[in-house]
Amino acid sequence: MRHVMHLQRDANHLDELESASIYILREAYRCVAPLCMLWSMGKDSTALLWLARKAFFGTVPFPVVLLDTEMELPEVYAFRDRIAREWNLDVRNEPCPPESETDPDLAPASRAAARKTEGLKRLLQRDQYAGVIVGIRRDEQATRAKERVFSPRSLSGDWDVRGQPAEFWGRYATDVPRGMHVRIHPLLAWTEVDVWRYTQREGIPFVDLYLARNGERYRSLGEKNITRPIRSDASSIDDIIAELETTKTPERAGRTMDHDSEDSFERLRSSGYM
């Protein structure tokens, strides 16, 4: 009986998260134009794409953008091509500039990651998107915990953390000030284990690099030059959920840019990183 109640509580929790995210996606589509969504092909942004298809009855009514450094793993590019075809997505590939065009004061891994920031800046300046939907979560990293669901940014991506508008009772600041854009974060309230439970419940496809091979797997899937697998024997979603319920290892332990310096990730985000 206790097991049944536990499963029902999890189902209700996922239903509430799903409803809230779908509301945010529809609110963004109603209020902000033009709009695009970033897709890294990771578990979070793929779950977000699934939610967008639910929100708009099987289609995604805005472009889906990969900020491409050409450093994704081959399995990730293959996954993109398959899902784009099967879900009939309008996928746009945005090439990112080389490291030589990023901030030279950043540490090496952070500088490599900053290529995506520069790619996004070019995209915004050229295509003038007023809104960019991004699949980040508050529990991923301390700096992301400071985010709002609708977060206004300059066109260069600068983030005024202290000046963000308050969000109470589902009321969001959807007006986009002139000369700015807004980042929209429908997954902020989700946790890593929520995403995996939802992926399992819905049967959402994912890159199999998340499953362990030879005692290692990718827990946070990034570019091959700045991301490493972690030690793990989790070879199924059930195993991953069980692992997450007991592990003390941070989700982004395999992201080398997070270890460059104490404030490296905060510097990246303040200057426009996702």
Side-chain angles (χ1 to χ4, degrees), residues 78-232:
F79 179 78
R80 174 198 60 182
D81 295 342
R82 177 171 71 83
I83 297 300
R85 184 174 59 253
E86 292 178 358
W87 292 2
N88 194 29
L89 301 172
D90 176 8
V91 176
R92 313 270 177 96
N93 207 67
E94 182 67 25
C96 294
E99 282 187 39
S100 59
E101 296 183 26
T102 63
D103 181 355
D105 293 331
L106 288 170
S110 297
R111 198 171 180 196
R115 292 181 62 198
K116 291 207 171 188
T117 308
E118 299 304 317
L120 180 57
K121 289 178 185 176
R122 286 188 179 186
L123 174 74
L124 290 168
Q125 289 164 4
R126 186 189 65 234
D127 294 347
Q128 298 291 302
Y129 286 113
V132 182
I133 302 171
V134 186
I136 65 167
R137 310 185 326 268
R138 285 198 177 100
D139 76 323
E140 282 180 272
Q141 207 275 342
T143 305
R144 284 178 170 163
K146 302 173 185 175
E147 271 290 2
R148 298 286 191 267
V149 175
F150 283 73
S151 175
R153 309 293 180 96
S154 71
L155 285 181
S156 60
D158 294 335
W159 181 33
D160 179 7
V161 179
R162 295 179 184 276
Q164 297 181 99
E167 293 180 332
F168 297 115
W169 304 293
R171 296 179 66 87
Y172 304 118
T174 55
D175 292 337
V176 182
R178 189 177 181 82
M180 299 186 73
H181 75 285
V182 63
R183 302 276 176 91
I184 300 137
H185 304 124
L187 296 184
L188 269 191
W190 295 57
T191 65
E192 183 182 9
V193 75
D194 289 334
V195 170
W196 278 115
R197 286 188 175 126
Y198 187 69
T199 297
Q200 183 181 53
R201 187 183 86 170
E202 300 286 307
I204 303 172
F206 60 91
V207 182
D208 63 6
L209 292 169
Y210 284 110
L211 303 180
R213 299 175 190 167
N214 302 318
E216 290 187 330
R217 72 179 186 91
Y218 284 88
R219 184 169 161 194
S220 180
L221 190 55
E223 299 148 284
K224 60 187 177 185
N225 55 330
I226 53 175
T227 310
R228 299 287 180 269
I230 61 164
R231 296 188 63 79
S232 171

Side-chain angles (χ1 to χ4, degrees), residues 2 45 60 150 210:
R2 182 177 296 178
S45 60
V60 179
F150 283 73
Y210 284 110

